[in-house]
Amino acid sequence: MPKEKEVTIYDIASALNISIATVSRALKNDPVVSKPTKKKIFDLAARMGYRTNHFARNLRNQTTNTIGVIMHELNSNFMTSVLAGIEKVTTSAGYDLIIAHSSESFTKEIANAKNLFDKRVDGLIASLSFDTKNLDHYKPFKEKNVPIIFFDRVEQEGSNTVVIIDNYKCGYQATEHLINEGCKTIAHITSSLKRNVYSQRFKGYKDSLADGGISFDEDLVIINDLSESAAIESAIQILKMDPLPDGIFITNDFVAAVVMRTLKENGIKIPEQIAIVGFNNDAICTLVEPALSTINYPGIDVGEVAARNLINHLKGIGNIQNTNTIIIRSNLIIRKSSLKKKPI
């Protein structure tokens, strides 16, 4: 079937025998057009199935009213909550989202950035993939003065505006808690140390051990991805350690839950034999047994703050170039998984 012809303001003007300019002003709710005339125009437009051509109007205004979002993964509660925070702010401000997913691939991230640039997004919110090597693919945005805010996984050198938590402090607090619970041999399960979130949590872990009088042992550090299979591998590696660690700081709640399950299947009592602290405060923390101690990383706050700062910049209310780092508050949540029984 041939495509039905789109109704235009010319059709409405012809049907009502009024000028095109009057129809255009009425549809923009311009007060120069009388209320009775506006009502006639709106009523006929509804009957005829007229749709405002926002795309054409936005091109004339040199804007698209869209915000691009590049996420490194979509299958985590944290990223879902970040997206919810972004969407809450952008929707109320009248912006649409175009969401791209790098699947932890630098190559895909480059393609995503080019695609969003070509779609003329007004601004960009991005989190880097595991193997992102540089930020050259974001240069076209800066050259065209398209604002970018990075969140979570970021590069903090240079003039980038980033929304993060104090990952170093969180890594320190998680490890300090395990030390305070009597742990002497604390393992650390983490991911690519090329990324700021994991390298800073690792540094916090090391410094907390030093301040607690515990020697750092690189054999207790396991670096892997965040998949279920990798988590099982990490747990098996823990089980082969001699002596067995009595505490583990894990930088992801999903990984922590899988490690706990695997350890329990192999007869390990948690927290009596091994106390565990995770990271993010995902919903899974209260679904596992024992409930998982973790660092609260409020993704919805990250999303809201990133989106609000970007939109304020676009509206001329603020300037993100004046702010390099925005730190979101985080805290340690203690549950049963880390409350190791002290000897009497």
Side-chain angles (χ1 to χ4, degrees), residues 107-140:
T107 304
K108 285 187 179 179
E109 186 180 306
I110 292 171
N112 288 338
K114 184 180 186 307
N115 184 35
L116 292 171
F117 181 76
D118 290 345
K119 282 186 165 57
R120 296 172 177 257
V121 294
D122 294 338
L124 183 66
I125 300 172
S127 185
L128 305 179
S129 74
F130 270 144
D131 59 353
T132 295
K133 297 174 180 63
N134 58 62
L135 303 183
D136 292 349
H137 45 303
Y138 295 108
K139 284 181 180 177

PDB file of all heavy atoms in Angstrom, residues 107-140:
ATOM      1  N   THR A 107      35.977  -0.758  20.485  1.00  0.00           N
ATOM      2  CA  THR A 107      35.569  -0.596  19.086  1.00  0.00           C
ATOM      3  C   THR A 107      34.103  -0.179  18.986  1.00  0.00           C
ATOM      4  O   THR A 107      33.745   0.729  18.223  1.00  0.00           O
ATOM      5  CB  THR A 107      35.792  -1.909  18.305  1.00  0.00           C
ATOM      6  OG1 THR A 107      37.155  -2.295  18.425  1.00  0.00           O
ATOM      7  CG2 THR A 107      35.434  -1.739  16.841  1.00  0.00           C
ATOM      8  N   LYS A 108      33.242  -0.845  19.775  1.00  0.00           N
ATOM      9  CA  LYS A 108      31.816  -0.495  19.761  1.00  0.00           C
ATOM     10  C   LYS A 108      31.585   0.895  20.348  1.00  0.00           C
ATOM     11  O   LYS A 108      30.699   1.625  19.902  1.00  0.00           O
ATOM     12  CB  LYS A 108      31.008  -1.534  20.537  1.00  0.00           C
ATOM     13  CG  LYS A 108      30.815  -2.841  19.800  1.00  0.00           C
ATOM     14  CD  LYS A 108      29.867  -3.761  20.552  1.00  0.00           C
ATOM     15  CE  LYS A 108      29.649  -5.066  19.797  1.00  0.00           C
ATOM     16  NZ  LYS A 108      28.739  -5.968  20.529  1.00  0.00           N
ATOM     17  N   GLU A 109      32.370   1.234  21.363  1.00  0.00           N
ATOM     18  CA  GLU A 109      32.218   2.563  21.964  1.00  0.00           C
ATOM     19  C   GLU A 109      32.542   3.649  20.946  1.00  0.00           C
ATOM     20  O   GLU A 109      31.844   4.671  20.869  1.00  0.00           O
ATOM     21  CB  GLU A 109      33.144   2.685  23.180  1.00  0.00           C
ATOM     22  CG  GLU A 109      32.947   3.975  23.958  1.00  0.00           C
ATOM     23  CD  GLU A 109      33.881   4.060  25.165  1.00  0.00           C
ATOM     24  OE1 GLU A 109      33.879   3.122  25.984  1.00  0.00           O
ATOM     25  OE2 GLU A 109      34.605   5.063  25.277  1.00  0.00           O
ATOM     26  N   ILE A 110      33.585   3.438  20.145  1.00  0.00           N
ATOM     27  CA  ILE A 110      33.947   4.391  19.085  1.00  0.00           C
ATOM     28  C   ILE A 110      32.798   4.524  18.085  1.00  0.00           C
ATOM     29  O   ILE A 110      32.412   5.635  17.699  1.00  0.00           O
ATOM     30  CB  ILE A 110      35.237   3.941  18.366  1.00  0.00           C
ATOM     31  CG1 ILE A 110      36.436   4.047  19.311  1.00  0.00           C
ATOM     32  CG2 ILE A 110      35.481   4.778  17.113  1.00  0.00           C
ATOM     33  CD1 ILE A 110      37.708   3.436  18.758  1.00  0.00           C
ATOM     34  N   ALA A 111      32.229   3.378  17.678  1.00  0.00           N
ATOM     35  CA  ALA A 111      31.104   3.390  16.724  1.00  0.00           C
ATOM     36  C   ALA A 111      29.886   4.085  17.325  1.00  0.00           C
ATOM     37  O   ALA A 111      29.192   4.849  16.635  1.00  0.00           O
ATOM     38  CB  ALA A 111      30.762   1.961  16.313  1.00  0.00           C
ATOM     39  N   ASN A 112      29.623   3.830  18.614  1.00  0.00           N
ATOM     40  CA  ASN A 112      28.493   4.473  19.294  1.00  0.00           C
ATOM     41  C   ASN A 112      28.657   5.989  19.320  1.00  0.00           C
ATOM     42  O   ASN A 112      27.706   6.740  19.072  1.00  0.00           O
ATOM     43  CB  ASN A 112      28.371   3.959  20.729  1.00  0.00           C
ATOM     44  CG  ASN A 112      27.858   2.544  20.805  1.00  0.00           C
ATOM     45  OD1 ASN A 112      27.224   2.044  19.883  1.00  0.00           O
ATOM     46  ND2 ASN A 112      28.132   1.860  21.910  1.00  0.00           N
ATOM     47  N   ALA A 113      29.877   6.429  19.634  1.00  0.00           N
ATOM     48  CA  ALA A 113      30.133   7.870  19.713  1.00  0.00           C
ATOM     49  C   ALA A 113      29.916   8.529  18.349  1.00  0.00           C
ATOM     50  O   ALA A 113      29.283   9.588  18.257  1.00  0.00           O
ATOM     51  CB  ALA A 113      31.561   8.122  20.210  1.00  0.00           C
ATOM     52  N   LYS A 114      30.410   7.902  17.280  1.00  0.00           N
ATOM     53  CA  LYS A 114      30.221   8.456  15.933  1.00  0.00           C
ATOM     54  C   LYS A 114      28.739   8.508  15.559  1.00  0.00           C
ATOM     55  O   LYS A 114      28.255   9.496  14.996  1.00  0.00           O
ATOM     56  CB  LYS A 114      30.986   7.620  14.911  1.00  0.00           C
ATOM     57  CG  LYS A 114      30.912   8.201  13.489  1.00  0.00           C
ATOM     58  CD  LYS A 114      31.663   7.362  12.486  1.00  0.00           C
ATOM     59  CE  LYS A 114      31.683   8.050  11.109  1.00  0.00           C
ATOM     60  NZ  LYS A 114      30.347   8.425  10.626  1.00  0.00           N
ATOM     61  N   ASN A 115      28.019   7.439  15.885  1.00  0.00           N
ATOM     62  CA  ASN A 115      26.586   7.373  15.572  1.00  0.00           C
ATOM     63  C   ASN A 115      25.818   8.492  16.279  1.00  0.00           C
ATOM     64  O   ASN A 115      24.975   9.163  15.669  1.00  0.00           O
ATOM     65  CB  ASN A 115      26.041   6.000  15.985  1.00  0.00           C
ATOM     66  CG  ASN A 115      24.584   5.823  15.605  1.00  0.00           C
ATOM     67  OD1 ASN A 115      24.140   6.309  14.580  1.00  0.00           O
ATOM     68  ND2 ASN A 115      23.838   5.135  16.452  1.00  0.00           N
ATOM     69  N   LEU A 116      26.112   8.698  17.547  1.00  0.00           N
ATOM     70  CA  LEU A 116      25.405   9.741  18.309  1.00  0.00           C
ATOM     71  C   LEU A 116      25.808  11.137  17.831  1.00  0.00           C
ATOM     72  O   LEU A 116      24.975  12.049  17.805  1.00  0.00           O
ATOM     73  CB  LEU A 116      25.687   9.575  19.804  1.00  0.00           C
ATOM     74  CG  LEU A 116      25.080   8.312  20.438  1.00  0.00           C
ATOM     75  CD1 LEU A 116      25.576   8.118  21.856  1.00  0.00           C
ATOM     76  CD2 LEU A 116      23.547   8.375  20.415  1.00  0.00           C
ATOM     77  N   PHE A 117      27.070  11.287  17.457  1.00  0.00           N
ATOM     78  CA  PHE A 117      27.513  12.572  16.909  1.00  0.00           C
ATOM     79  C   PHE A 117      26.776  12.867  15.605  1.00  0.00           C
ATOM     80  O   PHE A 117      26.300  13.980  15.385  1.00  0.00           O
ATOM     81  CB  PHE A 117      29.026  12.552  16.679  1.00  0.00           C
ATOM     82  CG  PHE A 117      29.572  13.842  16.133  1.00  0.00           C
ATOM     83  CD1 PHE A 117      29.739  14.949  16.952  1.00  0.00           C
ATOM     84  CD2 PHE A 117      29.904  13.959  14.790  1.00  0.00           C
ATOM     85  CE1 PHE A 117      30.232  16.147  16.450  1.00  0.00           C
ATOM     86  CE2 PHE A 117      30.395  15.156  14.269  1.00  0.00           C
ATOM     87  CZ  PHE A 117      30.565  16.247  15.112  1.00  0.00           C
ATOM     88  N   ASP A 118      26.680  11.852  14.741  1.00  0.00           N
ATOM     89  CA  ASP A 118      25.991  12.022  13.455  1.00  0.00           C
ATOM     90  C   ASP A 118      24.501  12.288  13.648  1.00  0.00           C
ATOM     91  O   ASP A 118      23.865  12.918  12.800  1.00  0.00           O
ATOM     92  CB  ASP A 118      26.178  10.786  12.579  1.00  0.00           C
ATOM     93  CG  ASP A 118      27.615  10.645  12.070  1.00  0.00           C
ATOM     94  OD1 ASP A 118      28.364  11.634  12.153  1.00  0.00           O
ATOM     95  OD2 ASP A 118      27.988   9.540  11.611  1.00  0.00           O
ATOM     96  N   LYS A 119      23.938  11.806  14.736  1.00  0.00           N
ATOM     97  CA  LYS A 119      22.521  12.053  15.033  1.00  0.00           C
ATOM     98  C   LYS A 119      22.304  13.427  15.679  1.00  0.00           C
ATOM     99  O   LYS A 119      21.186  13.781  16.051  1.00  0.00           O
ATOM    100  CB  LYS A 119      21.967  10.947  15.938  1.00  0.00           C
ATOM    101  CG  LYS A 119      21.658   9.658  15.181  1.00  0.00           C
ATOM    102  CD  LYS A 119      20.985   8.634  16.072  1.00  0.00           C
ATOM    103  CE  LYS A 119      20.337   7.505  15.278  1.00  0.00           C
ATOM    104  NZ  LYS A 119      21.226   6.788  14.392  1.00  0.00           N
ATOM    105  N   ARG A 120      23.397  14.179  15.840  1.00  0.00           N
ATOM    106  CA  ARG A 120      23.340  15.564  16.324  1.00  0.00           C
ATOM    107  C   ARG A 120      22.742  15.685  17.723  1.00  0.00           C
ATOM    108  O   ARG A 120      21.909  16.574  17.980  1.00  0.00           O
ATOM    109  CB  ARG A 120      22.551  16.453  15.343  1.00  0.00           C
ATOM    110  CG  ARG A 120      23.202  16.587  13.983  1.00  0.00           C
ATOM    111  CD  ARG A 120      22.282  17.305  13.015  1.00  0.00           C
ATOM    112  NE  ARG A 120      22.910  17.497  11.723  1.00  0.00           N
ATOM    113  CZ  ARG A 120      23.429  18.651  11.294  1.00  0.00           C
ATOM    114  NH1 ARG A 120      23.401  19.708  12.066  1.00  0.00           N
ATOM    115  NH2 ARG A 120      23.982  18.723  10.104  1.00  0.00           N
ATOM    116  N   VAL A 121      23.119  14.786  18.615  1.00  0.00           N
ATOM    117  CA  VAL A 121      22.628  14.915  19.989  1.00  0.00           C
ATOM    118  C   VAL A 121      23.100  16.248  20.561  1.00  0.00           C
ATOM    119  O   VAL A 121      24.165  16.752  20.209  1.00  0.00           O
ATOM    120  CB  VAL A 121      23.097  13.745  20.877  1.00  0.00           C
ATOM    121  CG1 VAL A 121      22.485  12.426  20.423  1.00  0.00           C
ATOM    122  CG2 VAL A 121      24.619  13.646  20.932  1.00  0.00           C
ATOM    123  N   ASP A 122      22.279  16.822  21.442  1.00  0.00           N
ATOM    124  CA  ASP A 122      22.628  18.111  22.044  1.00  0.00           C
ATOM    125  C   ASP A 122      23.687  17.961  23.129  1.00  0.00           C
ATOM    126  O   ASP A 122      24.397  18.922  23.449  1.00  0.00           O
ATOM    127  CB  ASP A 122      21.381  18.759  22.652  1.00  0.00           C
ATOM    128  CG  ASP A 122      20.357  19.131  21.594  1.00  0.00           C
ATOM    129  OD1 ASP A 122      20.752  19.291  20.425  1.00  0.00           O
ATOM    130  OD2 ASP A 122      19.166  19.257  21.931  1.00  0.00           O
ATOM    131  N   GLY A 123      23.764  16.781  23.728  1.00  0.00           N
ATOM    132  CA  GLY A 123      24.744  16.523  24.778  1.00  0.00           C
ATOM    133  C   GLY A 123      24.935  15.031  24.928  1.00  0.00           C
ATOM    134  O   GLY A 123      24.152  14.231  24.403  1.00  0.00           O
ATOM    135  N   LEU A 124      25.981  14.642  25.653  1.00  0.00           N
ATOM    136  CA  LEU A 124      26.323  13.228  25.791  1.00  0.00           C
ATOM    137  C   LEU A 124      26.673  12.889  27.234  1.00  0.00           C
ATOM    138  O   LEU A 124      27.375  13.654  27.910  1.00  0.00           O
ATOM    139  CB  LEU A 124      27.519  12.893  24.884  1.00  0.00           C
ATOM    140  CG  LEU A 124      27.976  11.439  24.828  1.00  0.00           C
ATOM    141  CD1 LEU A 124      26.906  10.564  24.180  1.00  0.00           C
ATOM    142  CD2 LEU A 124      29.287  11.317  24.059  1.00  0.00           C
ATOM    143  N   ILE A 125      26.169  11.730  27.702  1.00  0.00           N
ATOM    144  CA  ILE A 125      26.518  11.183  29.009  1.00  0.00           C
ATOM    145  C   ILE A 125      27.124   9.808  28.754  1.00  0.00           C
ATOM    146  O   ILE A 125      26.495   8.972  28.096  1.00  0.00           O
ATOM    147  CB  ILE A 125      25.282  11.071  29.919  1.00  0.00           C
ATOM    148  CG1 ILE A 125      24.642  12.452  30.127  1.00  0.00           C
ATOM    149  CG2 ILE A 125      25.640  10.451  31.274  1.00  0.00           C
ATOM    150  CD1 ILE A 125      23.304  12.413  30.853  1.00  0.00           C
ATOM    151  N   ALA A 126      28.349   9.549  29.246  1.00  0.00           N
ATOM    152  CA  ALA A 126      29.041   8.320  28.850  1.00  0.00           C
ATOM    153  C   ALA A 126      29.818   7.692  29.998  1.00  0.00           C
ATOM    154  O   ALA A 126      30.329   8.376  30.876  1.00  0.00           O
ATOM    155  CB  ALA A 126      29.993   8.605  27.685  1.00  0.00           C
ATOM    156  N   SER A 127      29.892   6.351  29.946  1.00  0.00           N
ATOM    157  CA  SER A 127      30.731   5.566  30.854  1.00  0.00           C
ATOM    158  C   SER A 127      31.602   4.659  29.991  1.00  0.00           C
ATOM    159  O   SER A 127      31.110   4.024  29.055  1.00  0.00           O
ATOM    160  CB  SER A 127      29.869   4.736  31.804  1.00  0.00           C
ATOM    161  OG  SER A 127      30.667   4.060  32.754  1.00  0.00           O
ATOM    162  N   LEU A 128      32.888   4.587  30.304  1.00  0.00           N
ATOM    163  CA  LEU A 128      33.861   3.924  29.431  1.00  0.00           C
ATOM    164  C   LEU A 128      33.834   2.407  29.554  1.00  0.00           C
ATOM    165  O   LEU A 128      33.549   1.861  30.620  1.00  0.00           O
ATOM    166  CB  LEU A 128      35.269   4.443  29.733  1.00  0.00           C
ATOM    167  CG  LEU A 128      35.453   5.960  29.659  1.00  0.00           C
ATOM    168  CD1 LEU A 128      36.888   6.339  30.014  1.00  0.00           C
ATOM    169  CD2 LEU A 128      35.079   6.498  28.285  1.00  0.00           C
ATOM    170  N   SER A 129      34.176   1.737  28.457  1.00  0.00           N
ATOM    171  CA  SER A 129      34.251   0.279  28.443  1.00  0.00           C
ATOM    172  C   SER A 129      35.523  -0.187  29.146  1.00  0.00           C
ATOM    173  O   SER A 129      36.412   0.607  29.463  1.00  0.00           O
ATOM    174  CB  SER A 129      34.243  -0.241  27.008  1.00  0.00           C
ATOM    175  OG  SER A 129      35.495   0.012  26.388  1.00  0.00           O
ATOM    176  N   PHE A 130      35.624  -1.498  29.375  1.00  0.00           N
ATOM    177  CA  PHE A 130      36.803  -2.083  30.015  1.00  0.00           C
ATOM    178  C   PHE A 130      38.096  -1.683  29.309  1.00  0.00           C
ATOM    179  O   PHE A 130      39.069  -1.293  29.934  1.00  0.00           O
ATOM    180  CB  PHE A 130      36.723  -3.618  30.010  1.00  0.00           C
ATOM    181  CG  PHE A 130      36.045  -4.203  31.211  1.00  0.00           C
ATOM    182  CD1 PHE A 130      35.253  -5.326  31.085  1.00  0.00           C
ATOM    183  CD2 PHE A 130      36.211  -3.657  32.467  1.00  0.00           C
ATOM    184  CE1 PHE A 130      34.619  -5.894  32.178  1.00  0.00           C
ATOM    185  CE2 PHE A 130      35.587  -4.203  33.577  1.00  0.00           C
ATOM    186  CZ  PHE A 130      34.782  -5.331  33.429  1.00  0.00           C
ATOM    187  N   ASP A 131      38.088  -1.796  27.963  1.00  0.00           N
ATOM    188  CA  ASP A 131      39.352  -1.661  27.240  1.00  0.00           C
ATOM    189  C   ASP A 131      39.485  -0.360  26.457  1.00  0.00           C
ATOM    190  O   ASP A 131      40.273  -0.262  25.521  1.00  0.00           O
ATOM    191  CB  ASP A 131      39.568  -2.860  26.309  1.00  0.00           C
ATOM    192  CG  ASP A 131      38.453  -3.023  25.274  1.00  0.00           C
ATOM    193  OD1 ASP A 131      37.449  -2.288  25.375  1.00  0.00           O
ATOM    194  OD2 ASP A 131      38.598  -3.870  24.376  1.00  0.00           O
ATOM    195  N   THR A 132      38.731   0.670  26.856  1.00  0.00           N
ATOM    196  CA  THR A 132      38.877   1.971  26.210  1.00  0.00           C
ATOM    197  C   THR A 132      40.288   2.501  26.450  1.00  0.00           C
ATOM    198  O   THR A 132      40.737   2.585  27.591  1.00  0.00           O
ATOM    199  CB  THR A 132      37.834   2.974  26.744  1.00  0.00           C
ATOM    200  OG1 THR A 132      36.530   2.516  26.377  1.00  0.00           O
ATOM    201  CG2 THR A 132      38.049   4.362  26.157  1.00  0.00           C
ATOM    202  N   LYS A 133      40.980   2.835  25.358  1.00  0.00           N
ATOM    203  CA  LYS A 133      42.400   3.202  25.453  1.00  0.00           C
ATOM    204  C   LYS A 133      42.623   4.707  25.447  1.00  0.00           C
ATOM    205  O   LYS A 133      43.624   5.199  25.966  1.00  0.00           O
ATOM    206  CB  LYS A 133      43.167   2.560  24.291  1.00  0.00           C
ATOM    207  CG  LYS A 133      43.156   1.038  24.315  1.00  0.00           C
ATOM    208  CD  LYS A 133      43.813   0.457  23.059  1.00  0.00           C
ATOM    209  CE  LYS A 133      43.791  -1.076  23.092  1.00  0.00           C
ATOM    210  NZ  LYS A 133      42.417  -1.625  23.083  1.00  0.00           N
ATOM    211  N   ASN A 134      41.722   5.451  24.828  1.00  0.00           N
ATOM    212  CA  ASN A 134      41.856   6.902  24.779  1.00  0.00           C
ATOM    213  C   ASN A 134      40.480   7.514  24.530  1.00  0.00           C
ATOM    214  O   ASN A 134      39.493   6.788  24.337  1.00  0.00           O
ATOM    215  CB  ASN A 134      42.845   7.330  23.694  1.00  0.00           C
ATOM    216  CG  ASN A 134      42.437   6.826  22.317  1.00  0.00           C
ATOM    217  OD1 ASN A 134      41.375   7.180  21.799  1.00  0.00           O
ATOM    218  ND2 ASN A 134      43.277   5.973  21.713  1.00  0.00           N
ATOM    219  N   LEU A 135      40.421   8.829  24.538  1.00  0.00           N
ATOM    220  CA  LEU A 135      39.142   9.524  24.361  1.00  0.00           C
ATOM    221  C   LEU A 135      39.084  10.291  23.041  1.00  0.00           C
ATOM    222  O   LEU A 135      38.297  11.231  22.900  1.00  0.00           O
ATOM    223  CB  LEU A 135      38.910  10.487  25.534  1.00  0.00           C
ATOM    224  CG  LEU A 135      38.927   9.867  26.938  1.00  0.00           C
ATOM    225  CD1 LEU A 135      38.608  10.925  27.981  1.00  0.00           C
ATOM    226  CD2 LEU A 135      37.952   8.705  27.042  1.00  0.00           C
ATOM    227  N   ASP A 136      39.884   9.858  22.059  1.00  0.00           N
ATOM    228  CA  ASP A 136      39.929  10.574  20.779  1.00  0.00           C
ATOM    229  C   ASP A 136      38.569  10.608  20.085  1.00  0.00           C
ATOM    230  O   ASP A 136      38.253  11.568  19.370  1.00  0.00           O
ATOM    231  CB  ASP A 136      40.945   9.915  19.833  1.00  0.00           C
ATOM    232  CG  ASP A 136      42.383  10.096  20.313  1.00  0.00           C
ATOM    233  OD1 ASP A 136      42.590  10.902  21.240  1.00  0.00           O
ATOM    234  OD2 ASP A 136      43.280   9.423  19.770  1.00  0.00           O
ATOM    235  N   HIS A 137      37.754   9.560  20.297  1.00  0.00           N
ATOM    236  CA  HIS A 137      36.461   9.495  19.612  1.00  0.00           C
ATOM    237  C   HIS A 137      35.450  10.496  20.169  1.00  0.00           C
ATOM    238  O   HIS A 137      34.371  10.661  19.601  1.00  0.00           O
ATOM    239  CB  HIS A 137      35.890   8.071  19.671  1.00  0.00           C
ATOM    240  CG  HIS A 137      35.970   7.415  21.008  1.00  0.00           C
ATOM    241  ND1 HIS A 137      37.144   7.236  21.704  1.00  0.00           N
ATOM    242  CD2 HIS A 137      35.001   6.879  21.802  1.00  0.00           C
ATOM    243  CE1 HIS A 137      36.906   6.621  22.849  1.00  0.00           C
ATOM    244  NE2 HIS A 137      35.619   6.409  22.932  1.00  0.00           N
ATOM    245  N   TYR A 138      35.816  11.168  21.265  1.00  0.00           N
ATOM    246  CA  TYR A 138      34.930  12.199  21.808  1.00  0.00           C
ATOM    247  C   TYR A 138      35.347  13.610  21.369  1.00  0.00           C
ATOM    248  O   TYR A 138      34.645  14.581  21.659  1.00  0.00           O
ATOM    249  CB  TYR A 138      34.905  12.123  23.335  1.00  0.00           C
ATOM    250  CG  TYR A 138      34.286  10.830  23.858  1.00  0.00           C
ATOM    251  CD1 TYR A 138      35.075   9.843  24.437  1.00  0.00           C
ATOM    252  CD2 TYR A 138      32.922  10.598  23.738  1.00  0.00           C
ATOM    253  CE1 TYR A 138      34.517   8.649  24.891  1.00  0.00           C
ATOM    254  CE2 TYR A 138      32.353   9.410  24.186  1.00  0.00           C
ATOM    255  CZ  TYR A 138      33.165   8.444  24.760  1.00  0.00           C
ATOM    256  OH  TYR A 138      32.602   7.263  25.197  1.00  0.00           O
ATOM    257  N   LYS A 139      36.470  13.712  20.654  1.00  0.00           N
ATOM    258  CA  LYS A 139      36.953  15.034  20.227  1.00  0.00           C
ATOM    259  C   LYS A 139      35.971  15.772  19.323  1.00  0.00           C
ATOM    260  O   LYS A 139      35.813  16.990  19.455  1.00  0.00           O
ATOM    261  CB  LYS A 139      38.312  14.886  19.527  1.00  0.00           C
ATOM    262  CG  LYS A 139      39.462  14.650  20.488  1.00  0.00           C
ATOM    263  CD  LYS A 139      40.794  14.545  19.738  1.00  0.00           C
ATOM    264  CE  LYS A 139      41.938  14.299  20.725  1.00  0.00           C
ATOM    265  NZ  LYS A 139      43.242  14.118  20.003  1.00  0.00           N
ATOM    266  N   PRO A 140      35.286  15.072  18.366  1.00  0.00           N
ATOM    267  CA  PRO A 140      34.328  15.808  17.514  1.00  0.00           C
ATOM    268  C   PRO A 140      33.244  16.536  18.316  1.00  0.00           C
ATOM    269  O   PRO A 140      32.817  17.630  17.922  1.00  0.00           O
ATOM    270  CB  PRO A 140      33.718  14.698  16.648  1.00  0.00           C
ATOM    271  CG  PRO A 140      34.781  13.646  16.579  1.00  0.00           C
ATOM    272  CD  PRO A 140      35.431  13.663  17.929  1.00  0.00           C
TER     273      PRO A 140
END
